[in-house]
Amino acid sequence: MLAVAVCMVLLAGLQAQDLQGHVSIILLGATGDLAKKYLWQGLFQLYLDEVGKGYSFSFHGAALTSTKQGQEFVAKVLQSLSCPEDVAPERCAELRGRFQQLSQYRRLRTSEDYMALSKDIEAQLQHEGLQEAGRIFYFSVPPFAYADIARSINSSCRPGPGAWLRVVLEKPFGHDRLSAQQLATELRSFFQEEEMYRVDHYLGKQAVAQILPFRDQNRKALDGLWNRHHVERVEIIMKETVDAEGRTGFYEEYGVIRDVLQNHLTEVLTLVAMELPYNVSSSEAVLRHKLQAFQALRGLHKGSAVLGQYQAYSGQVRREQQKPDSFHSLTPTFAGILVHMDNLRWEGVPFILMSGKALDERVGYVRILFRNQAYCAQTETRWVADQSQCLPRQIVFYIGHGELGSPAVLVSRNLFRPFLPSGSWKEVEDRPGLRLFGRPLSDFYAYSPVREQDAYSVLISHIFHGRKDSFITTENLLASWAFWTPLLDSLAHEAPRLYPGGAENGHLLDFEFTGTQLRFSRQQPEQLVPGPGSAPSPSDFQVLQSKYRDSLLISAWPEELIAKLADDIEATAMRAVRRFGEFHLALSGGSSPVPLFQQLATQHYGFPWAHTHLWLVDERCVPLRDPESNFQGLQVHLLQHVRVPYYNVHPMPVHLHQRLCAEEDQGAQMYASEISALVTNSSFDLVLLGMGTDGHTASLFPQSPAGLEGPQPVVLTRSPSKPHQRMSLSLPLINRARKVAILVMGRMKREITLLVSRVGHQPKKWPISGVLPSSGQLVWYMDYEAFLG
Ligand code: BG6
């Protein structure tokens, strides 16, 4: 039986109505590394902080380890627990002794063991006459063990009515979007969302936990600064000197992006980028705003990342995982990622996320660097730190380690004097000679915590107080995986750049960016281990020109192809604007044009958008805001990044009178009239088409006569796949265009490409074969996979 007696003595001074109840904390995996290093200490700290406030506690260490071994292990860990600096050694020993009396180890293996645990807790409550406040189960176990434990807790360890249950989960929370979703669904069958506390220990780091309070308490100074007009870039960095030795089993499966960027650095990013809720102490509001920040993240592509791997890594995997000598891993141990947000606050501001093992130093920070829009008339030697607008202006949340050696918040003196709560943050004394981010420490208002606290202690306290905003909700988790998974998929077969490790890395891992493209600044002198296979790289090929169905064919690797098509569209636009003062472009939807839209949005600053009219080639009969709507794709990937006058944007009227594509609403006729009123001779300057695997183009489908011939320029059609109802330009209208470009990408298109190369003019079977501009030009743009297979 646990000794709660001492605790009860402590409570004797409290009035009965002040008693808050009894809390049982069950640490699963109590003999593991995390428990040894952080969790027992965090529980001890919780005990120290809370026991005088009316709570009583019992701590149950549990694991699969035998009772005797487990007891010995836990006893040893408990002996080494430390107190805050201001507690005298004798007092600390006394407190530790009390904590030890409240803690015990038990083996938990079978469902019967869980039932017995629950019975013991109930018996203790009854025996001591205690009111139960709640139970915390801390899962410090591998995820494969989650389901069984969760089932047992749910079926036999829930506390009685009026008391809460909190289960604390440790990463990894899945490997990609799908596995995270499966794990979440499984857990949801045992626990309510409000019962689950998913830990990201970075949210417990003091400098990270200070980001929102800092933004809130310095609203006045930051209101005008925290946006794209003033912020030049944001760097979110976690550098490590350790490597993955001893953990390659885990690391091989996860790599640096899953291990660190998807969780720690993304969480930090959202705290910097999210709109500040009116009330930052409302967990609900913080979580909601965080989720909105996820929604504003622009999708990543291969070019958003640079990857590295320290040279010794593959050897370590071979040794630890018994792999053959020929084995070379592709797992990145270093990644730099360029992230953009599509919202008014952050549009155009680069967020650089970077992390790696075996680097030259251990340090973590978030650095917000402000633009410098000043010119200083005096010579530089006369610039004064708190007055000169020409010195760099930055705010840094220094997470830890590095030259400074402790968490800190730094604000350049030429920005403003920040407010930080004096009870918990104090000014750092100057350390002459110490330079941070290119400036002496004296250039900053610098604050560090009065009492440094380990992240787990902070989080354990937040779990106890039910502060859900310091944890990862299911929605938050899935939003993060939704953001990272496409990039992870696209990088799965990329060979990372090898680096020697430590200081010898030199400038090998430096990277730079233009637009949305990130690349290493220096050429790799020599790849010491070849990448897999001998696949040719894109640069080994030139853009090829030949003929396809008697028309011009341009063929290249996807990136070059898109770049070429975007260049050609811009050239066509410039010509049209020069000659006619305007450019009429009709665009298709679907996934193929997305990279094209992104390219146009980010690489074509000279595009005459102000004189461009945008039309839709086809549309699905769904509301325009529906993610399936072609217009919505255009909006997300192009329109919101460029400046097209709104009266030049012409969505198809599929949603009239609160209904979708009703014949009586005459939407198709309306669109045709709009075209005929605005486009000379109803002849578009450029129509961009795609080709479906069944030979359809626009929304003109095989065996469905609508739109293949006849006088109607715009028609309602039916697609074999959902959503079935469509609106489309007709073939005769498309064929009036001055130029038609057909974009075909991906291996899936290989068969139809071959087939269509041989068929004649048979639009009823293959509508694409009916595309033949009467006096305009037709150009096919195909990537090598579609063209060569
Ligand atoms: C963990 C990662 O989540 O964070 C480790 O799995 C990494 O690979 C660690 O070393 C870094 O945490 P900290 O607290 O040492 O910065």
Side-chain angles (χ1 to χ4, degrees), residues 699-701 703-709 715-718 730:
S699 276
L700 306 170
F701 297 93
Q703 320 298 355
S704 133
L708 299 181
E709 51 192 19
V715 288
L716 289 179
T717 65
R718 221 182 140 67
S730 69

Side-chain angles (χ1 to χ4, degrees), residues 379-397:
T379 177
E380 192 176 335
T381 49
R382 299 216 173 86
W383 293 355
V384 184
D386 57 351
Q387 286 164 16
S388 173
Q389 287 310 305
C390 288
L391 287 169
R393 300 186 303 157
Q394 38 195 341
I395 296 178
V396 182
F397 297 94

Side-chain angles (χ1 to χ4, degrees), residues 618-635:
D618 64 335
E619 186 53 284
R620 294 144 188 229
C621 295
V622 294
L624 292 188
R625 289 183 56 184
D626 191 296
E628 296 224 67
S629 151
N630 287 345
F631 183 76
Q632 187 56 220
L634 191 63
Q635 161 69 14

Side-chain angles (χ1 to χ4, degrees), residues 545-554 564-565 567-569 571-573 575 579 583 683-689 731 733-743 770-781:
Q545 288 202 1
S546 59
K547 291 265 171 190
Y548 180 81
R549 289 179 61 83
D550 290 333
S551 296
L552 181 60
L553 165 73
I554 293 180
K564 169 83 175 111
L565 175 54
D567 285 350
D568 290 353
I569 295 178
T572 311
R575 262 197 311 276
R579 287 183 61 195
F583 173 56
S683 170
F684 290 107
D685 296 300
L686 179 62
V687 175
L688 175 73
L689 298 176
L731 266 186
L733 181 63
I734 291 170
N735 286 334
R736 293 175 76 103
R738 293 171 190 279
K739 184 167 177 176
V740 176
I742 305 179
L743 175 63
V771 177
L772 204 53
S774 39
S775 56
Q777 188 197 14
L778 172 62
V779 186
W780 294 82
Y781 292 82

Side-chain angles (χ1 to χ4, degrees), residues 171 201-202 205 238 240 247 259-260 264 357 362:
K171 81 179 176 78
H201 78 284
Y202 263 61
K205 301 256 179 194
M238 178 185 143
E240 296 188 279
R247 296 175 76 202
D259 186 35
V260 168
H264 306 325
K357 302 259 182 218
R362 181 181 186 191

